Amino acid sequence: HVQLVESGGGSVQAGGSLTLSCIGSGDTFLNSCMGWFRQAPGKEREAVATTDRDGDTTYADSVKGRFTISRDNEKNTIYLQMTNLQPEDTAMYTCAADGPYCTATSCSCDPALDEYLYWGRGTQVTVS
């Protein structure tokens, strides 16, 4: 079983910055893949950024160059540094985790291949 607890959300003006944190507990294998997802009212949830235990990362095109995901494996914590925030970034940001999706030849943390199993409760980010 894995528990995820997010923190760091809030309200900022456009152009501002926030850093989100997510602490994971439980089986470290099931925390191999960790990422941030967001959902705005009336919109589908989207993957914002993911990272594996080796530090390989993926980003949504909409946040590339503005958001940075990082990871502290010893603390089982991931961070999302968000800069130059815009009103369209307003959403509930949720941390998620799972083991990697593996085929016969490779493993991946791509959430498009397999939905993450464990989810936090989310933290609201509002940009005005």
Side-chain angles (χ1 to χ4, degrees), residues 61-114:
D61 288 343
S62 59
V63 306
K64 284 180 181 177
R66 300 189 298 124
F67 291 11
T68 302
I69 189 170
S70 60
R71 180 172 188 147
D72 185 332
N73 285 332
E74 289 190 4
K75 296 181 180 179
N76 214 29
T77 299
I78 62 170
Y79 306 92
L80 186 68
Q81 294 176 281
M82 305 183 292
T83 63
N84 192 23
L85 283 160
Q86 300 300 314
E88 53 266 33
D89 295 315
T90 295
M92 179 68 74
Y93 285 70
T94 306
C95 175
D98 203 350
Y101 175 80
C102 295
T103 65
T105 57
S106 65
C107 292
S108 171
C109 289
D110 187 348
L113 296 177
D114 190 26

Side-chain angles (χ1 to χ4, degrees), residues 7-97:
S7 61
S11 297
V12 296
Q13 293 186 334
S17 301
L18 283 173
T19 297
L20 307 182
S21 300
C22 172
I23 300 174
S25 62
D27 191 309
T28 54
F29 175 78
L30 295 178
N31 283 309
S32 297
C33 302
M34 296 183 75
W36 290 97
F37 297 74
R38 68 184 181 185
Q39 187 168 20
K43 294 187 177 181
E44 292 188 356
R45 185 174 63 201
E46 65 170 338
V48 176
T50 67
T51 179
D52 63 17
R53 294 189 70 84
D54 294 328
D56 292 331
T57 59
T58 66
Y59 293 95
D61 288 343
S62 59
V63 306
K64 284 180 181 177
R66 300 189 298 124
F67 291 11
T68 302
I69 189 170
S70 60
R71 180 172 188 147
D72 185 332
N73 285 332
E74 289 190 4
K75 296 181 180 179
N76 214 29
T77 299
I78 62 170
Y79 306 92
L80 186 68
Q81 294 176 281
M82 305 183 292
T83 63
N84 192 23
L85 283 160
Q86 300 300 314
E88 53 266 33
D89 295 315
T90 295
M92 179 68 74
Y93 285 70
T94 306
C95 175

